[in-house]
Amino acid sequence: MKIVSQIKLPIETEMELFEKKFSGAMSSKVALLNRITHYVVNRKGKQMRPMFVFLIAKMTGNGTVEERTYRGASVIELIHTATLVHDDVVDDSNRRRGFFSINALWKNKIAVLVGDYLLSKGLLLSIDHEDFDLLKIISVAVREMSEGELLQIEKARRLDITEAIYFDIIRQKTATLIAACCAMGAQSVNAPKEEVEAMREFGELIGIAFQIKDDLFDYGEEKIGKPTGIDIKEQKMTLPLIYTLNTVPPKDKRWIINSVKNYNKDKKRVKQVIAFVKDSGGLEYAVSKMKDYQQRALQILQKYPKSPYKDSLELMVNYVIERKK
């Protein structure tokens, strides 16, 4: 059995019902919108985010979920989808998960409006049912994601990212949404405040480990859907590169910065940078950091009694750092 199917096993019924509810939450009276949202729903990914919501809800809620757990998962997915649609416009990207992006098929103006529509649908779903506690969780996440993106853009121009700033960026950009999923799961079944916070921290730790794994793919040999060296070509400062810049002599540091700034389209030079980072121990350092975050996430789960939901969450934590793409 594939690992994702195995993780999903204890929440299969909930996920099936969630898909129906989620499709309903997207519907509109405008035919063009329905055509686009239908396209979005049919090209969904692994659905890790709603899986986190339901697994955490069942682990903290004695194996049950509430109606508002479905709403919480739908809000997360609506807002996450809205951010992806907007990201593709910002990045001028024509592909998403191997398919054409919305802006590639319907142009930027429509893509921005669809993103706005999905965002408002998510907000109204919470407001209409007075789920203000759930709305606060996702609103904080959206604010942090925007701040993280802008911080990265600001720092990328000067390539002066320290390790502390790097962790700030990935915590806000990537980890904050997974943290929101986990907090949402616990909050939706009215878990105590301390437990909601523990689950938020659990999600944040996994999110950071997830992003470090993504950074490592830039240096890997596996075919993973994004070409090796793409982060260097896009002048993205990843953990292996930051570690290398901070540990090599000034002459080598100048050569790397010059390569990333001025020769990032030169395939041979990019390969040399990748080899240099590998030889300098950048990959080993990033792997050790990633495993540290993984272990801290697993420690939080240790406080819970054995259950199929806890087993699935442990599988999920391990999958995040062992995945091949």
Side-chain angles (χ1 to χ4, degrees), residues 29 48 239 275 314 316:
K29 293 187 177 77
M48 293 304 227
L239 189 56
E314 285 177 347
M316 185 92 100

Side-chain angles (χ1 to χ4, degrees), residues 165-178:
I165 289 171
Y166 164 83
F167 278 108
D168 264 354
I169 290 170
I170 67 167
R171 184 186 58 75
Q172 291 182 303
K173 252 189 74 175
T174 306
T176 195
L177 191 62
I178 298 174

Side-chain angles (χ1 to χ4, degrees), residues 11-218:
I11 50 164
E12 236 168 4
T13 314
E14 286 81 5
M15 287 298 289
E16 278 174 28
L17 187 51
F18 160 74
E19 290 201 18
K20 292 193 185 90
K21 287 175 184 282
F22 180 59
S23 296
M26 274 191 165
S27 66
S28 145
K29 293 187 177 77
V30 180
L32 174 61
L33 251 177
N34 283 337
R35 200 155 73 242
I36 296 170
T37 54
H38 179 73
Y39 179 82
V40 170
V41 169
N42 285 348
R43 278 149 195 80
K44 60 185 180 294
K46 296 186 188 80
Q47 293 193 299
M48 293 304 227
R49 288 160 192 85
M51 281 160 66
F52 271 122
V53 176
F54 289 113
L55 286 169
I56 298 274
K58 291 190 98 168
M59 185 179 75
T60 56
N62 298 318
T64 59
V65 298
E66 305 281 340
E67 191 54 43
R68 67 196 219 112
T69 311
Y70 290 98
R71 292 198 294 271
S74 293
V75 168
I76 290 268
E77 202 65 351
L78 281 163
I79 288 175
H80 171 58
T81 308
T83 62
L84 293 184
V85 172
H86 283 162
D87 278 354
D88 286 340
V89 175
V90 170
D91 298 339
D92 204 11
S93 172
N94 290 324
R95 311 287 288 187
R96 167 71 62 184
R97 296 186 186 124
F99 296 97
F100 283 115
S101 58
I102 290 177
N103 48 303
L105 293 173
W106 285 282
K107 305 296 176 229
N108 283 354
K109 187 175 180 179
I110 287 176
V112 170
L113 292 168
V114 169
D116 292 347
Y117 171 77
L118 295 171
L119 194 63
S120 66
K121 272 285 196 182
L123 300 176
L124 285 168
L125 185 60
S126 295
I127 291 165
D128 289 347
H129 294 90
E130 299 190 0
D131 295 328
F132 300 119
D133 52 344
L134 305 186
L135 183 58
K136 185 172 182 184
I137 289 170
I138 191 63
S139 300
V140 168
V142 172
R143 182 194 70 202
E144 294 221 317
M145 284 156 68
S146 310
E147 285 176 353
E149 283 285 359
L150 288 164
L151 179 61
Q152 184 176 43
I153 290 166
E154 179 194 328
K155 294 295 176 185
R157 286 178 180 159
R158 297 205 300 273
L159 299 185
D160 63 348
I161 293 183
T162 61
E163 195 172 304
I165 289 171
Y166 164 83
F167 278 108
D168 264 354
I169 290 170
I170 67 167
R171 184 186 58 75
Q172 291 182 303
K173 252 189 74 175
T174 306
T176 195
L177 191 62
I178 298 174
C181 294
C182 296
M184 188 78 90
Q187 186 69 44
S188 74
V189 292
N190 303 308
K193 200 174 172 184
E194 309 73 57
E195 203 167 10
V196 174
E197 175 51 32
M199 290 300 98
R200 190 204 63 75
E201 189 191 344
F202 168 76
E204 188 174 280
L205 292 166
I206 296 178
I208 292 171
F210 181 93
Q211 185 56 54
I212 297 172
K213 179 68 175 179
D214 254 18
D215 286 0
L216 289 164
F217 283 140
D218 207 44

Side-chain angles (χ1 to χ4, degrees), residues 1 4-14 55 312:
M1 187 189 286
V4 177
S5 308
Q6 211 177 327
I7 293 167
K8 209 185 266 193
L9 217 52
I11 50 164
E12 236 168 4
T13 314
E14 286 81 5
L55 286 169
S312 277

